[in-house]
Amino acid sequence: MDMDEQFTSSDDGGYTLACETMDEDIVPPPEPTAALTGKDESEGRGGNAAPPETNGVMRPRSYQLEMFDEAMKRNIVVARLWFLAPTVSLCQQQYTVICSQLPALQTRFLSGADNVDRWNNQAIWDGVLKNVRVVVSTHQVLYDALAHGFVRLKELALLVFDEAHHCVESHPANRIMQDFYHPLLRGGGKECVPHILGISASPIVNSKPRGLQIIEENLNALCKTPRIHREELLRYVHLPLLERLTIPTHKGHHGQALNSLLTVYRNLDISQDPRVHSLRAENTERSRAELTKALAMRKTYCQDQFKGLCNKAMHISQEFGVWATNYYIVNSIDRLRSKSNAEVMSGWDDNERQYLTGALSRVEVEEVRPDALEDICQVSPKLARFIDLLVEESGPDFAGLVFIEQRVAAAVLSHLLSVHPRTKHLFECATFVGTSASVFRKSAGIGDLIEPRGQRHTLDDFRNRKKNLIIATSVLEEGIDISACHLVICFSRLPNLKSFVQRRGRARARDSKFVLMLAETTPGVIDRWQELEEEMKKMYLDDQRKLQEIGRIESITEEGDRRYLVESTGALLTLDSALTHLYHFCALLPRSQYVDLRPAFSITEDPVTHYITAEVTLPSCVDSSVRQRAGVGKWQTERMARKDAAFEIYIGLHKAGLVNDYLLPLTKEGIEGVAMVAVETRPSVMSVPERLNPWIPLAHEWFGVTQLCASVVELTGGDSKLQMELLLPSYPPSVPEFTLYWNRNIHFRASIRPSARVDLASPGECDVMRKMTQVLLQSIFRGHMRPNEMDFPALFAPCGEIGDLDLWVGTQEATDLFANRPLDRQYGLVRDKTSNLKPYIFKEWTIDAPRPEDVYDGDREEGPCGELFVRVARVLKRRDFLHPDSKDIPSNLPESSKSDLLLATDCVIDNLPFDCSRFSFFIPAILHRVEVSLVADELRKSLLAPVDIQDLKLVITAISASSAREDTNYQRLEFFGDSILKLCTSIQLMAVNPNWHEGYLSAKKDRAVANSRLARAACETGLHRFIHTKSFTGRKWSPLYISDLLKEQGVSAKREVSTKILADVVEALIGAAFLDGGFEKALKCLNIFLPEMAWQPRQFSNNALYEAAMLGVSIPVHFEDLEKLIGYEFTKKILLVEAMTHPSFEAQPHPASYQRLEFLGDSVLDFVVVTKVFSHYSELSHIQMHLTRSALVNADFLAFLCMESAVDLDINDVVEDENTRTFHTLGKKSPKQLWKFMRHHSQEVVGAQTVSVQRYTQLRDDIWDALASGVSYPWAKLRRIEANKFFSDVIESIIGAIYIDSHGDFSACEAFTERIGILPYLRRILDSGDNSEICLLHPKVQLGLLAQSDEVEYVVGLETDEDSPGSPPRKKRKHVCKVLIAGEEVAVVGDGLSREEVQTKAADEAVGVLLSRRKAEVGRC
């Protein structure tokens, strides 16, 4: 029988072996529980099944997961698991695999090398096993620990017996069961003993009829054999060609060296043996008895060593011939001489060394030359035939395995093949033999040529094709993971049927051969071997017949008439189309590296009727409610059973809304009517109506007005203060204070506050105000006004009583004014009558002759000496007083850099005081700010009325583009609102669509938050009518007239606006709503612009997410350590389990993978960081905020923190006191990094973790130095780690899990980001002062800025590394990058792991080059 069995505890009594007979007991499936036993699924122990193609992804089969689940049905939380294997080599392999596959579990390997036989007190054992979850050892180690009471069986949760067929007779495996397990079971019941999981490819190790039953009884288990799918058998099982070679008995001569060795041994004087001398010197009764025995039996250690050398030499002579024997003897003697004080004779006393060295020096040896192998007399007939066979089978892809009886024979044969003229160029040989760690003083023999440490890399080299032939002892029959071979040769005789089964299983490559080399022997032995060979042939023929029968059954034509019709569309699903539909659905699931997205089918056959049913399981990203379905029919063929299961699950997908009414997945491409459509495309610029003119509705309010609403406009600057009243039919909205820039020296702070209402008793009162407004405006804007029109929509008047208006109107001659010089009145503007009344600012009167430095206006002749002059300053031409003017006069000069002298007779002076005239300069700016507030208020009262934003300044900021050059713009709010939008969208989608996988969620989110969708929302809602894009300049400004405004009504002018601006304003308003009223108002705002989302309160969504998570689910016991690391104790433990579950994990019961939680956690993390950055007191610019966020949430930084974050566990080492030779424990901390807790079922993930962590270890110190005290963010070094995405995914998924479990408590999420280092580094960035001390620019961005207008070009190529000489080449493609700036080669770097990494590194180096050049240039200057 050839099958792969698992012996597991069952519920019947708690310990029954879960076992059922397999119909196809031909070929074993891939090793069950691959994650624990380390058998690649493509290499089932003792099996012949080649792996199906899975694009490099190792996927546990459904039966593998089912088998382990069967063993652990009642074992949710494992206290301690003890893994047992028969050999130290196998234990070492299993320990390595467990540590790599389950790095979060504290695992310990115990062997004789640890001196466990000398751990003689309970404290040592308790200390060694402290916090240890998994122990790996041989059976004997556990048996001894149980026998001495240091370990108690009831404290173990699971016992795993690898190679469980050893659990018979007096083997330590069976002694554990008989001496401890069964008595404990009888005395205390099933709750007192651990579960049992036995694994074996060959449960029948001999031809005894009850062999299998005996193992079942001993393990208190049932033999449960997974049923191999017929389709896999037909496609992937390759039975090797069985070939028998009969070799005649070798009767050749021994050779000179062997004869001399035997002669020396026979002539050894035992009386000179060191042990004999020692016993004689002791001269006690005991020593005399022992001496007599030693002399009679020639039994001493030295005699045994010499005898063993002779026996091994005889065996080699019989197997290989004279040359090999001479090589063995010569090599053994040379090795002894060269290493007499090393490993070979470690623990021997000097007398023993001298005795053996002296005896062997008398052996006569010959020179061993490789060319002598061409002499047929130098090799045995068996070896000659063996070499012929190897040469015949050799080829470029050859992979062979030779089983041999003795360790030394393996070493000799390996060397022989490496120097033989016919084989040395064809084969790269290696050995693999058993190892043991003896506790006795003599640890190695003089004839042992193989050092076990030299074969540590044998199997890896074989897998990588650096070696193509392994010479092994029986240790490689079972357990050890090895690649499929083309040729397996049994050089020595097969000991039993088990060896046949297991050795044949190594030959599972296509067109492989399994060769038995059988020697001619005595008749009795021949009869016995003929009987065994007949059994082998019968088994082999049974296998072939069963394969043929499977092929016949699967060729049967079966039909089914089941149909599923979607009434609304007419879409039809049939049994024949279901499988295609299902594979298409899975192909569109979110792709993740190392994950097989294909559906997994599990086949069950009724043992009576032989009808087949199937169950299908979809990848873990699919919701658990629809992830698994079984077919309802019974079929003759697996083909139809699969179709049936696919039909059922696809119906479930449709009913769950995961495929649409056209029976198609909700793909991004989509079709009309499908919820999921592609992200909209958008033009860069759109033509939209001009911005709303708020003066038009205000113009209508003037009709029939009986009261005016006065607002005080106050200008404060330096020592001056001016107040005017702004009169409107209704009060304007609050206008934020603003600054008016008269020049660089004089600034005014302007405020507008409501005042009392003004009753209009008669129409004349309004006319007076209009006239006052006209006077003010005409003082500055005379040329832009219509002389006889005064229907201004906004009126200005001095505060208080206006008095006699005539005092404000008109001008006076300068000479008259000088003569009457009023002392209490301010002069108005001076106007030059000779220059069309050009205005000037009055400075002083002067009668003296003009100074030479005085400058006259124009070409006017100098006035006569002694006449009256007016010293004046020129009026500035600019009209934009809202923005500082870079062309303004220097700050250390007065208002004008030049003064003019005007003849008083040529001048008139306005009656209107200068302060009023200066106020007139500011009227356009004041009205602009009122206009901006009117627009914002209209938006607040109309479109945003449901939001009820109280702070109008937030609305003004949100609708002001940077191009408008207002005091504030939307960029900071847009940055904040973008984060809020993504967070709210993620929460909403997760809550409303609990069965959507991350792919659907991301696609829907991308569409909802896309700029194209937001820009469309701005147009559909009319928001575009409120957006400020044009800057106020005051240039060519003219007063507004009510008559003109009424004419403008209904006129729709157009303007070009960037669609990004439209989208940005939507996000800015979301941010403004949040600042005004938290999530409640933000969601109301979202409901206006994205109504299709049907936004629900955040707390409602939080509760829905919380309730969707199962309660009462236990977590793996080591996850308690994970909670300590995270710093948060979960109420719903399932969330923590999901957060740490990679999509490749497929154990039963099927957990959800972390993808949905990572989708949510990404948005939560972004919000946490953005909130901190946005609220910083320094009000960082949006560019600074963007750089800071990018530095903190990028995948490379998060991956680094995932590798860095760890929890310290207390463990103990056992150390020996050099003085007392006793043992004691020494405590230490063992860090368990966060990434080690991730659950997965992929060997490729292990490889990715290993290489990433190796790079992290190399770069860690440099990165931490940069983060802790560096002046630049370490972009290049973080990128160099080249961490896989799952490292950062784990961080984000944990944040998502905390958010749900805490009902949306951001403080709990912040605490985790604080704990792992995100917020501490954020504080360092913010505390550095406006980011000037830490450069956060990515090297490629920084290089572009340094290069300015020069073109930067990255030229990326590939370079190849060769392995060391003498080994087959393994090409490693590394990236190399050149940086060219304006055609000049500035930097060249190689050894790149990817294009992105090498470009980042090259840019970083180029930045350094340019900065050095710039520094050198500054130094020269």
Side-chain angles (χ1 to χ4, degrees):
M1 183 185 300
D2 180 10
M3 56 185 172
D4 197 348
E5 310 281 357
Q6 288 199 36
F7 301 86
T8 67
S9 303
S10 80
D11 291 335
D12 184 11
Y15 316 98
T16 338
L17 231 118
C19 203
E20 67 183 36
T21 305
M22 176 176 76
D23 281 1
E24 295 91 332
D25 55 354
I26 332 172
V27 220
E31 182 62 45
T33 62
L36 287 180
T37 62
K39 314 302 186 297
D40 189 298
E41 71 158 342
S42 66
E43 299 168 4
R45 189 186 321 139
N48 304 315
E53 294 296 329
T54 59
N55 299 321
V57 177
M58 184 186 77
R59 181 177 190 174
R61 304 288 179 85
S62 57
Y63 67 79
Q64 295 174 340
L65 305 174
E66 175 189 355
M67 297 300 290
F68 185 70
D69 183 58
E70 191 72 29
M72 300 298 294
K73 276 183 179 178
R74 297 180 302 102
N75 213 54
I76 304 301
V77 178
V78 179
R80 181 172 293 138
L81 180 153
W82 205 295
F83 195 106
L84 299 167
T87 66
V88 174
S89 296
L90 186 52
C91 284
Q92 181 65 58
Q93 172 183 287
Q94 305 294 29
Y95 170 75
T96 301
V97 172
I98 290 172
C99 289
S100 64
Q101 294 283 348
L102 302 172
L105 295 179
Q106 193 69 37
T107 304
R108 189 117 199 183
F109 172 37
L110 301 179
S111 70
D114 298 311
N115 294 297
V116 292
D117 61 309
R118 297 171 62 191
W119 296 354
N120 55 12
N121 63 72
Q122 187 68 50
I124 293 178
W125 282 91
D126 291 343
V128 166
L129 300 180
K130 182 178 180 180
N131 288 329
V132 173
R133 305 298 185 190
V134 181
V135 182
V136 181
S137 76
T138 60
H139 305 90
Q140 188 66 51
V141 168
L142 176 59
Y143 180 84
D144 291 342
L146 291 170
H148 293 292
F150 297 135
V151 175
R152 295 162 185 80
L153 205 62
K154 64 182 179 180
E155 296 173 353
L156 305 181
L158 176 66
L159 270 179
V160 179
F161 289 85
D162 199 8
E163 307 303 336
H165 50 265
H166 289 285
C167 192
V168 293
E169 299 176 349
S170 60
H171 192 278
N174 192 34
R175 291 168 63 194
I176 291 172
M177 298 300 295
Q178 302 304 327
D179 295 352
F180 300 99
Y181 180 93
H182 287 288
L184 190 61
L185 176 63
R186 289 191 294 269
K190 63 183 182 180
E191 298 300 329
C192 295
V193 292
H195 290 270
I196 301 296
L197 174 61
I199 306 169
S200 176
S202 306
I204 298 181
V205 296
N206 50 43
S207 55
K208 292 182 180 179
R210 293 188 66 250
L212 180 59
Q213 184 180 350
I214 291 173
I215 297 176
E216 289 179 330
E217 292 172 355
N218 291 344
L219 284 174
N220 188 35
L222 297 174
C223 179
K224 192 175 182 74
T225 306
R227 181 186 183 281
I228 302 176
H229 295 183
R230 291 172 179 171
E231 181 182 349
E232 293 177 3
L233 284 171
L234 293 173
R235 292 177 59 190
Y236 304 121
V237 171
H238 312 300
L239 290 175
L241 175 64
L242 182 62
E243 185 174 325
R244 169 180 171 175
L245 296 180
T246 302
I247 308 299
T249 303
H250 176 46
K251 299 180 180 179
H253 65 283
H254 291 325
Q256 177 183 343
L258 179 55
N259 290 329
S260 176
L261 178 67
L262 295 174
T263 299
V264 170
Y265 173 65
R266 285 192 293 267
N267 295 332
L268 271 180
D269 185 359
I270 193 172
S271 65
Q272 301 301 316
D273 191 293
R275 181 59 177 164
V276 172
H277 283 296
S278 174
L279 292 173
R280 283 174 176 167
E282 187 176 341
N283 196 26
T284 63
E285 183 177 350
R286 184 192 62 79
S287 66
R288 286 193 294 272
E290 189 175 342
L291 175 62
T292 302
K293 181 179 179 181
L295 292 173
M297 302 182 64
R298 299 180 65 87
K299 186 71 175 176
T300 68
Y301 187 77
C302 289
Q303 299 295 317
D304 288 346
Q305 284 290 309
F306 217 120
K307 181 179 180 181
L309 179 62
C310 293
N311 289 337
K312 292 170 183 173
M314 291 284 290
H315 175 77
I316 289 172
S317 176
Q318 180 70 27
E319 292 286 90
F320 305 137
V322 175
W323 188 95
T325 308
N326 290 341
Y327 163 77
Y328 172 68
I329 295 172
V330 169
N331 192 270
S332 296
I333 295 174
D334 289 345
R335 185 168 177 266
L336 178 64
R337 289 171 178 169
S338 63
K339 293 190 175 183
S340 59
N341 60 348
E343 294 92 340
V344 177
M345 305 182 76
S346 61
W348 298 8
D349 60 41
D350 292 338
N351 293 328
E352 289 173 332
R353 294 175 185 170
Q354 294 173 5
Y355 180 76
L356 283 175
T357 304
L360 288 174
S361 66
R362 298 194 294 273
V363 177
E364 298 177 3
V365 296
E366 302 174 357
E367 181 183 359
V368 181
R369 303 192 320 274
D371 57 350
L373 285 168
E374 297 182 3
D375 184 357
I376 192 65
C377 297
Q378 291 288 313
V379 297
S380 68
K382 185 176 185 180
L383 179 62
R385 183 66 189 91
F386 170 75
I387 291 175
D388 289 341
L389 175 63
L390 281 181
V391 174
E392 291 170 7
E393 298 295 332
S394 65
D397 297 324
F398 175 84
L401 176 60
V402 178
F403 283 101
I404 205 157
E405 186 174 348
Q406 292 190 8
R407 292 160 50 97
V408 293
V412 172
L413 182 57
S414 176
H415 175 75
L416 187 150
L417 294 175
S418 68
V419 299
H420 196 289
R422 296 182 63 194
T423 58
K424 64 181 180 179
H425 298 299
L426 297 177
F427 305 104
E428 293 290 339
C429 299
T431 61
F432 196 90
V433 301
T435 61
S436 62
S438 173
V439 299
F440 299 103
R441 67 185 183 101
K442 315 304 196 289
S443 59
I446 59 176
D448 292 333
L449 299 186
I450 294 181
E451 297 180 12
R453 65 185 181 188
Q455 63 183 29
R456 287 179 297 181
H457 303 295
T458 293
L459 298 183
D460 287 337
D461 289 345
F462 190 70
R463 295 186 192 100
N464 298 329
R465 296 296 185 251
K466 294 178 71 173
K467 304 292 184 183
N468 60 3
L469 182 64
I470 295 181
I471 316 298
T473 59
S474 58
V475 70
L476 209 54
E477 284 182 355
E478 59 184 9
I480 304 297
D481 181 20
I482 187 172
S483 301
C485 298
H486 301 89
L487 177 67
V488 174
I489 301 175
C490 294
F491 192 90
S492 303
R493 67 171 188 160
L494 279 167
N496 50 43
L497 186 59
K498 181 202 76 170
S499 294
F500 171 79
V501 172
Q502 294 183 326
R503 294 181 182 186
R504 187 190 70 169
R506 299 302 190 187
R508 57 184 179 277
R510 187 180 295 274
D511 300 325
S512 58
K513 279 187 178 181
F514 180 51
V515 180
L516 303 178
M517 300 188 73
L518 304 177
E520 294 177 348
T521 183
T522 59
V525 175
I526 291 177
D527 292 343
R528 182 161 48 85
W529 271 100
Q530 284 180 339
E531 182 181 343
L532 179 60
E533 186 175 9
E534 287 302 318
E535 285 188 59
M536 296 177 184
K537 287 182 179 179
K538 181 178 181 299
M539 177 188 297
Y540 194 78
L541 292 174
D542 287 346
D543 291 349
Q544 291 182 321
R545 282 194 293 269
K546 289 190 176 183
L547 280 176
Q548 294 171 358
E549 177 63 13
I550 288 171
R552 185 193 67 79
I553 293 175
E554 286 300 309
S555 65
I556 295 174
T557 300
E558 280 187 297
E559 295 183 357
D561 58 357
R562 300 186 62 203
R563 296 158 53 93
Y564 179 75
L565 180 67
V566 181
E567 296 292 342
S568 60
T569 62
L572 179 65
L573 181 72
T574 66
L575 283 176
D576 287 333
S577 65
L579 207 55
T580 302
H581 276 300
L582 185 60
Y583 273 94
H584 177 61
F585 172 84
C586 291
L588 295 178
L589 292 173
R591 294 193 174 276
S592 181
Q593 199 173 10
Y594 317 122
V595 177
D596 188 350
L597 294 178
R598 297 174 302 172
F601 290 88
S602 178
I603 305 298
T604 302
E605 182 173 351
D606 188 297
V608 178
T609 65
H610 298 291
Y611 278 112
I612 301 263
T613 57
E615 183 178 67
V616 61
T617 303
L618 301 184
S620 61
C621 61
V622 180
D623 186 69
S624 58
S625 63
V626 291
R627 193 182 305 158
Q628 198 170 52
R629 287 288 189 277
V632 297
K634 295 183 178 180
W635 309 90
Q636 289 181 280
T637 64
E638 287 185 7
R639 182 182 66 257
M640 288 303 296
R642 291 170 187 262
K643 291 181 179 181
D644 185 15
F647 183 85
E648 289 299 318
I649 202 166
Y650 209 78
I651 293 175
L653 292 173
H654 176 252
K655 292 180 178 179
L658 297 180
V659 297
N660 60 24
D661 286 344
Y662 296 90
L663 297 179
L664 292 172
L666 309 183
T667 61
K668 292 183 180 180
E669 295 77 13
I671 54 177
E672 188 175 356
V674 181
M676 195 69 60
V677 297
V679 172
E680 301 175 38
T681 57
R682 61 181 175 90
S684 59
V685 175
M686 294 181 66
S687 179
V688 299
E690 282 285 359
R691 196 205 64 192
L692 170 75
N693 187 344
W695 299 108
I696 293 177
L698 197 66
H700 284 278
E701 294 183 25
W702 277 99
F703 293 97
V705 66
T706 59
Q707 277 187 334
L708 293 181
C709 298
S711 297
V712 176
V713 181
E714 182 176 277
L715 306 182
T716 305
D719 297 332
S720 61
K721 181 177 182 180
L722 177 63
Q723 291 185 340
M724 282 280 185
E725 283 190 343
L726 169 64
L727 297 130
L728 296 168
S730 59
Y731 283 112
S734 62
V735 179
E737 286 190 7
F738 55 97
T739 300
L740 295 168
Y741 300 89
W742 179 250
N743 57 35
R744 289 194 177 182
N745 283 332
I746 301 176
H747 302 165
F748 291 92
R749 193 64 181 163
S751 63
I752 303 174
R753 63 179 185 273
S755 183
R757 294 180 182 271
V758 178
D759 292 324
L760 299 177
S762 65
E765 290 186 34
C766 187
D767 292 340
V768 172
M769 296 177 189
R770 291 187 184 280
K771 181 63 177 177
M772 185 67 240
T773 304
Q774 184 185 46
V775 170
L776 288 170
L777 293 174
Q778 281 182 340
S779 68
I780 305 301
F781 306 103
R782 185 185 305 270
H784 296 175
M785 297 179 64
R786 297 198 284 265
N788 300 319
E789 295 189 28
M790 296 187 298
D791 56 336
F792 308 112
L795 305 181
F796 290 92
C799 292
E801 296 292 332
I802 296 177
D804 189 355
L805 185 59
D806 292 338
L807 296 176
W808 298 76
V809 179
T811 62
Q812 296 184 53
E813 290 292 335
T815 54
D816 293 342
L817 193 60
F818 176 76
N820 298 317
R821 290 195 295 275
L823 298 177
D824 58 348
R825 183 168 179 182
Q826 189 182 54
Y827 293 108
L829 290 176
V830 179
R831 299 183 184 273
D832 186 355
K833 294 185 291 184
T834 65
S835 297
N836 197 26
L837 298 179
K838 182 177 180 180
Y840 292 87
I841 299 172
F842 178 87
K843 303 297 290 183
E844 64 180 349
W845 302 101
T846 179
I847 301 177
D848 298 330
R851 297 187 300 270
E853 62 269 21
D854 288 332
V855 178
Y856 293 88
D857 186 37
D859 298 326
R860 190 174 49 208
E861 296 181 359
E862 185 176 333
C865 181
E867 290 194 34
L868 179 64
F869 288 88
V870 182
R871 189 178 299 280
V872 296
R874 296 182 183 183
V875 173
L876 299 176
K877 293 182 179 180
R878 72 185 185 92
R879 295 294 180 264
D880 177 11
F881 298 101
L882 288 175
H883 309 104
D885 189 355
S886 60
K887 299 179 181 179
D888 207 347
I889 56 178
S891 59
N892 60 341
L893 296 177
E895 290 188 13
S896 176
S897 60
K898 301 186 288 185
S899 64
D900 292 333
L901 284 178
L902 300 179
L903 280 171
T905 55
D906 292 339
C907 298
V908 294
I909 297 177
D910 287 349
N911 289 329
L912 187 67
F914 173 67
D915 280 348
C916 292
S917 295
R918 178 148 55 183
F919 183 86
S920 299
F921 275 105
F922 295 144
I923 286 177
I926 293 169
L927 291 179
H928 172 77
R929 284 302 169 90
V930 173
E931 181 179 321
V932 169
S933 293
L934 286 169
V935 171
D937 189 56
E938 179 62 23
L939 173 61
R940 179 174 62 172
K941 293 188 296 185
S942 57
L943 179 61
L944 297 181
V947 184
D948 190 27
I949 296 178
Q950 298 298 309
D951 190 347
L952 188 63
K953 288 188 293 185
L954 290 172
V955 180
I956 293 173
T957 300
I959 62 177
S960 298
S962 58
S963 60
R965 298 180 65 209
E966 296 296 324
D967 287 349
T968 60
N969 61 59
Y970 64 61
Q971 290 180 323
R972 277 176 47 84
L973 277 180
E974 178 271 330
F975 178 82
F976 189 41
D978 173 76
S979 180
I980 297 167
L981 169 61
K982 290 176 180 176
L983 175 66
C984 292
T985 304
S986 299
I987 296 172
Q988 171 90 0
L989 290 175
M990 284 271 291
V992 174
N993 305 287
N995 62 355
W996 276 19
H997 57 69
E998 181 270 338
Y1000 284 176
L1001 294 172
S1002 294
K1004 184 73 172 180
K1005 174 185 172 183
D1006 291 345
R1007 181 175 183 273
V1009 305
N1011 278 353
S1012 54
R1013 175 65 188 96
L1014 300 179
R1016 179 163 64 86
C1019 294
E1020 290 175 346
T1021 58
L1023 175 63
H1024 56 282
R1025 297 171 54 245
F1026 299 91
I1027 300 175
H1028 300 298
T1029 57
K1030 293 181 180 178
S1031 173
F1032 172 80
T1033 64
R1035 196 176 299 119
K1036 297 182 180 180
W1037 184 87
S1038 60
L1040 295 174
Y1041 296 96
I1042 292 175
S1043 57
D1044 292 340
L1045 292 169
L1046 296 177
K1047 293 176 183 177
E1048 287 184 22
Q1049 189 170 6
V1051 178
S1052 58
K1054 294 288 186 178
R1055 58 174 172 161
E1056 299 293 316
V1057 177
S1058 164
T1059 48
K1060 185 179 186 308
I1061 289 179
L1062 295 172
D1064 287 350
V1065 170
V1066 173
E1067 291 178 325
L1069 286 171
I1070 295 169
F1074 181 87
L1075 292 176
D1076 195 71
F1079 280 104
E1080 181 181 355
K1081 288 191 176 182
L1083 289 168
K1084 289 180 179 178
C1085 187
L1086 285 168
N1087 204 45
I1088 292 171
F1089 296 110
L1090 301 173
E1092 70 273 13
M1093 293 289 290
W1095 301 92
Q1096 57 191 22
R1098 187 175 74 99
Q1099 195 55 47
F1100 182 88
S1101 297
N1102 290 342
N1103 291 337
L1105 291 172
Y1106 182 83
E1107 294 301 327
M1110 290 186 293
L1111 189 63
V1113 176
S1114 299
I1115 60 173
V1117 67
H1118 63 284
F1119 270 35
E1120 296 174 2
D1121 299 326
L1122 176 60
E1123 287 187 309
K1124 295 177 184 177
L1125 192 161
I1126 294 172
Y1128 179 86
E1129 184 174 352
F1130 283 82
T1131 302
K1132 293 202 170 182
K1133 306 296 185 181
I1134 186 64
L1135 291 169
L1136 179 59
V1137 175
E1138 289 183 8
M1140 302 306 296
T1141 301
H1142 187 267
S1144 66
F1145 190 82
E1146 298 181 359
Q1148 298 280 6
H1150 291 286
S1153 70
Y1154 61 55
Q1155 290 172 304
R1156 276 174 57 92
L1157 290 177
E1158 180 267 329
F1159 167 81
L1160 175 62
D1162 174 76
S1163 299
V1164 175
L1165 173 61
D1166 185 86
F1167 178 77
V1168 168
V1169 171
V1170 166
T1171 302
K1172 296 289 185 183
V1173 174
F1174 182 85
S1175 60
H1176 192 251
Y1177 67 87
S1178 63
E1179 292 196 3
L1180 303 176
S1181 69
H1182 75 285
I1183 294 176
Q1184 293 169 328
M1185 292 193 298
H1186 172 76
L1187 292 174
T1188 303
R1189 177 180 65 178
S1190 298
L1192 291 167
V1193 303
N1194 70 82
D1196 292 333
F1197 181 63
L1198 297 180
F1200 174 80
L1201 296 181
C1202 183
M1203 298 181 206
E1204 185 71 16
S1205 301
V1207 59
D1208 285 332
L1209 302 180
D1210 294 325
I1211 63 170
N1212 293 288
D1213 282 339
V1214 178
V1215 295
E1216 184 178 11
D1217 189 298
E1218 294 182 357
N1219 298 321
T1220 64
R1221 312 306 295 177
T1222 59
F1223 291 89
H1224 64 276
T1225 58
L1226 181 64
K1228 68 176 184 179
K1229 298 291 185 182
S1230 174
K1232 285 296 177 184
Q1233 288 76 18
L1234 177 58
W1235 64 268
K1236 292 183 177 180
F1237 290 90
M1238 187 182 77
R1239 310 192 309 163
H1240 64 86
H1241 277 155
S1242 171
Q1243 188 63 34
E1244 287 75 14
V1245 168
V1246 175
Q1249 289 174 332
T1250 302
V1251 297
S1252 294
V1253 171
Q1254 288 173 350
R1255 291 192 288 264
Y1256 152 80
T1257 303
Q1258 296 169 357
L1259 297 167
R1260 177 189 181 276
D1261 292 343
D1262 290 342
I1263 292 175
W1264 261 123
D1265 287 345
L1267 294 175
S1269 58
V1271 296
S1272 295
Y1273 186 80
W1275 287 105
K1277 290 183 175 64
L1278 287 169
R1279 179 70 278 187
R1280 179 66 179 170
I1281 294 177
E1282 198 72 12
N1284 193 279
K1285 185 175 179 293
F1286 56 70
F1287 285 101
S1288 58
D1289 286 348
V1290 163
I1291 296 285
E1292 293 173 332
S1293 64
I1294 290 174
I1295 293 173
I1298 293 174
Y1299 178 87
I1300 294 176
D1301 193 71
S1302 64
H1303 293 276
D1305 183 1
F1306 288 107
S1307 64
C1309 302
E1310 288 180 14
F1312 174 66
T1313 59
E1314 175 74 30
R1315 192 177 184 89
I1316 64 173
I1318 295 176
L1319 293 188
Y1321 187 60
L1322 172 60
R1323 284 195 295 275
R1324 178 169 184 254
I1325 293 174
L1326 297 179
D1327 293 344
S1328 67
D1330 71 8
N1331 294 8
S1332 60
E1333 294 185 13
I1334 301 178
C1335 178
L1336 299 177
L1337 287 171
H1338 191 279
K1340 296 176 74 172
V1341 176
Q1342 189 177 7
L1343 182 60
L1345 295 175
L1346 290 173
Q1348 298 178 348
S1349 60
D1350 292 335
E1351 180 184 1
V1352 179
E1353 181 181 4
Y1354 296 90
V1355 181
V1356 180
L1358 291 173
E1359 60 184 1
T1360 303
D1361 285 348
E1362 299 286 348
D1363 281 328
S1364 58
S1367 62
R1370 286 185 300 161
K1371 306 231 174 180
K1372 303 172 186 176
R1373 296 164 68 85
K1374 295 293 186 73
H1375 291 79
V1376 60
C1377 180
K1378 297 179 182 180
V1379 177
L1380 306 177
I1381 299 179
E1384 177 194 359
E1385 184 179 294
V1386 176
V1388 180
V1389 298
D1391 194 32
L1393 303 173
S1394 66
R1395 288 182 64 89
E1396 181 182 354
E1397 186 268 330
V1398 78
Q1399 285 184 354
T1400 303
K1401 185 166 60 172
D1404 193 48
E1405 185 167 320
V1407 166
V1409 172
L1410 294 190
L1411 290 176
S1412 297
R1413 289 181 181 178
R1414 181 169 296 182
K1415 184 177 181 180
E1417 291 174 359
V1418 172
R1420 286 194 296 270
C1421 294

